[in-house]
Amino acid sequence: MANKLAVITGASTGIGKEIAKIAAGEGYDLIIVADEPQIDAAAGELNGFGVDVQTVEADLSTFEGNDRLLAACGGRPIDVLVANAGRGLGQGFLEQDPAEWRRVIDTNVTGTTYLLQKVLQQMVPRNEGNVLITGSIAGLIPGAWQAVYNGTKAYLDSLSYAIREEIKDTDVNVTVLMPGPTETEFFRRANMENTPVGESEKADAAKVAQDGWSAMTSRKPHVVSGFMNKVQATMSHITPDTLNAKMHTGMAKPDDVEESRGGL
């Protein structure tokens, strides 16, 4: 009997790579995807699990990149989809290059939405399958100094619940993972290393991955990984958004921004 298949995006580093290790350990064949050659190095770490590991290097901000991923499945049913690929973007909104914030939206929102629709259109007729979407507690908080990114995560957090409701009469499950700051490449790539949150201690990616996988296999609607993140998520619902945005400034505003603006 053939192994089940798990497709994991954004799997070259961080949470995605750690989820791939969990899936391999449970006997899933893997198709792991990223938009960088480092995905092949990640595959090398998975070869000892005795499962088939296939890599796809594709730009998941585009329909074409997602179609390339789907074609790599060769018509094989996808049993688990981990929609983890995402891009961050810090700094002030007014200073961000439009090409950069558009790529964040195209990756986190447009590409992810397209992939989810395509895979769920396969899963629902089969009446089986598991989907884990990497959202964030950032989606619960207006993200001053990280505005576009937090907006995309608010979209994903909301989308996951909406889809879950629409397919509730099937055996297909959708779970959203809501991590907080995690020790990954995210802060370097988002140009946020010189911020309080970038400089702070962060959660272990392996622990976050296990929390997400366990919630998905338990068919939970969501999981907030980490005790303090659970507290922050709870408080975000009862704190006015103006205050939430102000608190986010304290985490995400670059250390040197006042000097670079002459104190304005």
Side-chain angles (χ1 to χ4, degrees):
M1 184 176 179
N3 292 338
K4 291 187 174 184
L5 176 64
V7 172
I8 304 171
T9 69
S12 57
T13 61
I15 296 170
K17 185 169 75 171
E18 296 299 332
I19 292 177
K21 292 177 183 178
I22 296 169
E26 295 200 6
Y28 284 84
D29 287 341
L30 300 176
I31 296 178
I32 57 173
V33 194
D35 63 356
E36 58 184 1
Q38 195 171 346
I39 192 66
D40 293 324
E45 298 182 37
L46 299 166
N47 288 331
F49 287 92
V51 297
D52 183 66
V53 181
Q54 181 179 350
T55 64
V56 177
E57 185 179 342
D59 182 357
L60 298 182
S61 71
T62 68
F63 286 0
E64 293 79 11
N66 282 283
D67 286 338
R68 182 179 176 189
L69 161 59
L70 294 168
C73 297
R76 188 174 172 183
I78 299 171
D79 298 285
V80 169
L81 170 65
V82 180
N84 173 74
R87 286 185 173 274
L89 186 62
Q91 310 297 313
F93 174 67
L94 300 186
E95 283 75 43
Q96 291 172 349
D97 184 332
E100 291 186 355
W101 61 248
R102 179 174 179 176
R103 191 162 176 80
V104 171
I105 294 171
D106 286 346
T107 302
N108 299 5
V109 174
T110 307
T112 300
T113 303
Y114 180 77
L115 181 61
L116 288 168
Q117 186 182 57
K118 289 293 186 180
V119 173
L120 286 165
Q121 285 172 342
Q122 300 174 12
M123 287 181 171
V124 169
R126 298 197 331 261
N127 201 36
E128 61 179 350
N130 250 320
V131 173
L132 180 64
I133 301 169
T134 301
S136 176
I137 64 167
L140 306 175
I141 306 167
W145 303 95
Q146 201 179 359
V148 173
Y149 172 79
N150 282 41
T152 65
K153 290 301 182 176
Y155 171 86
L156 289 177
D157 292 350
S158 175
L159 180 70
S160 67
Y161 270 91
I163 295 172
R164 184 180 176 91
E165 171 64 20
E166 289 187 19
I167 63 172
K168 65 182 180 181
D169 295 328
T170 76
D171 288 334
V172 179
N173 173 66
V174 175
T175 298
V176 60
L177 169 61
M178 298 182 185
T182 304
E183 196 60 58
T184 69
E185 290 291 303
F186 175 88
F187 292 94
R188 179 184 64 80
R189 293 173 175 172
N191 194 23
M192 292 184 66
E193 289 181 304
N194 66 330
T195 64
V197 67
E199 296 165 352
S200 68
E201 184 177 352
K202 302 171 188 64
D204 177 59
K207 171 63 166 57
V208 174
Q210 186 61 64
D211 287 345
W213 185 267
S214 297
M216 179 194 70
T217 54
S218 299
R219 306 179 69 84
K220 294 181 179 178
H222 83 279
V223 59
V224 176
S225 181
F227 174 75
M228 289 308 298
N229 292 326
K230 287 181 170 66
V231 172
Q232 187 174 5
T234 300
M235 292 301 296
S236 72
H237 293 298
I238 59 177
T239 305
D241 278 345
T242 52
L243 183 55
N244 281 327
K246 188 175 184 66
M247 289 190 295
H248 200 276
T249 290
M251 296 186 293
K253 187 176 181 179
D255 295 336
D256 59 355
V257 71
E258 291 182 350
E259 289 77 3
S260 67
R261 292 184 177 180
L264 296 178

